[in-house]
Amino acid sequence: MHTYQTVDYVRKKHAQFGGFSCKKMTIMAAMDMLNNLVDESDPDVDFPNSFHAFQTAEGIRKAHPDKDWFHLVGLLHDLGKVLALWGEPQWAVVGDTFPVGCRPQASVVFCDSTFQDNPDLRDPRYSTEFGMYQPHCGLENVLMSWGHDEYLYQMMKFNKVSLPKEAFYMIRFHSFYPWHTGGDYRQLCSQQDLDMLPWVQEFNKFDLYTKCPDLPDVDKLRPYYQALVDKFCPGVLSW
């Protein structure tokens, strides 16, 4: 991931997938696809990703019973991992994300030992603290490493899903650990980014700490979440 995620690579992936012509399917059909995926980057789970989705959603539902949109984000936050079932290597789908186009910051995992073969770090346009960005340009103007977060965020925008702004931040940045946990990349943030950060951190608690070997009764839970899908992102979507 740290070798091949470059500005050029990410732009090519946006061009490849940005038309959302891979498949037409519902949210729940995508969820069923994740029954066939185990995330190789996650040391805490060795069961299909769909169970983790329901565990996350139920944790949020218990703590925030009044925020139904938040429950839904818990369910669908990893649906972009369908990319791994369409032939994309897991290094281009899962793992902690980071901005491309500027020098990686200290809290990027294994930062000092894994970027030496990334050509962008030898390119003066991309190898400084700000790289191709302006101070406080806002994360909406930052090119993130390509993976399931970015894909699902773009897919939700493309399909005009009616979730609140907080939900879109959670979807796009839940794997951006150097930002929401490491405290880095603040020099790129707008005030809106900083205002949204606590929501991403709140989501992260459930993404991380609801994983357990006791698997949820998906058939029992499904009708509640189907109703949320029907409310916020109904019908067949373009993927």
Side-chain angles (χ1 to χ4, degrees):
M1 184 183 196
H2 290 173
T3 297
Y4 298 117
Q5 292 271 3
T6 63
V7 171
D8 184 55
Y9 177 82
V10 172
R11 285 174 174 161
K12 283 179 179 174
K13 288 298 165 182
H14 276 274
Q16 180 181 351
F17 290 103
F20 300 97
S21 56
C22 291
K23 199 172 177 71
K24 299 273 192 185
M25 61 180 167
T26 65
I27 290 287
M28 285 305 190
M31 185 65 58
D32 290 339
M33 286 182 69
L34 292 190
N35 288 329
N36 301 311
L37 178 72
V38 175
D39 184 339
E40 294 170 2
S41 75
D42 192 333
D44 299 319
V45 295
D46 56 3
F47 46 80
N49 214 251
S50 55
F51 288 108
H52 164 59
F54 280 98
Q55 287 176 335
T56 306
E58 283 295 285
I60 294 168
R61 183 181 176 188
K62 192 172 179 180
H64 298 276
D66 58 326
K67 294 182 175 65
D68 58 353
W69 62 267
F70 198 179
H71 311 165
L72 183 60
V73 172
L75 185 77
L76 55 76
H77 72 282
D78 275 347
L79 287 183
K81 292 179 182 179
V82 294
L83 289 171
L85 302 172
W86 295 338
E88 293 298 294
Q90 287 218 8
W91 63 259
V93 179
V94 299
D96 295 1
T97 59
F98 55 93
V100 296
C102 62
R103 187 174 64 230
Q105 294 209 264
S107 65
V108 175
V109 67
F110 300 127
C111 176
D112 294 335
S113 58
T114 54
F115 281 94
Q116 65 272 15
D117 294 324
N118 187 308
D120 281 3
L121 269 68
R122 297 188 293 274
D123 189 322
R125 295 173 297 171
Y126 306 140
S127 54
T128 62
E129 180 186 5
F130 287 99
M132 64 183 190
Y133 307 112
Q134 296 298 315
H136 305 293
C137 60
L139 294 179
E140 73 271 18
N141 297 308
V142 167
L143 200 60
M144 295 296 297
S145 59
W146 179 256
H148 72 279
D149 309 53
E150 187 67 27
Y151 169 75
L152 186 65
Y153 166 73
Q154 298 291 347
M155 174 267 182
M156 292 282 176
K157 285 206 308 179
F158 182 86
N159 285 279
K160 297 181 171 57
V161 168
S162 62
L163 286 164
K165 186 180 296 180
E166 293 87 345
F168 282 92
Y169 265 80
M170 293 171 186
I171 289 166
R172 189 181 186 210
F173 298 121
H174 68 272
S175 300
F176 189 10
Y177 280 85
W179 178 58
H180 65 61
T181 300
D184 280 334
Y185 295 102
R186 295 294 191 271
Q187 74 276 17
L188 299 179
C189 292
S190 65
Q191 187 58 50
Q192 176 179 277
D193 299 329
L194 300 178
D195 292 344
M196 291 290 125
L197 177 57
W199 284 100
V200 179
Q201 292 168 329
E202 179 66 9
F203 172 81
N204 183 245
K205 293 192 308 197
F206 301 100
D207 191 15
L208 278 184
Y209 300 121
T210 57
K211 297 167 185 171
C212 68
D214 299 327
L215 300 182
D217 186 343
V218 170
D219 291 337
K220 185 178 174 183
L221 297 173
R222 200 174 179 105
Y224 173 75
Y225 289 99
Q226 182 65 62
L228 295 187
V229 169
D230 293 343
K231 178 179 178 179
F232 292 104
C233 39
V236 174
L237 306 179
S238 299
W239 296 73

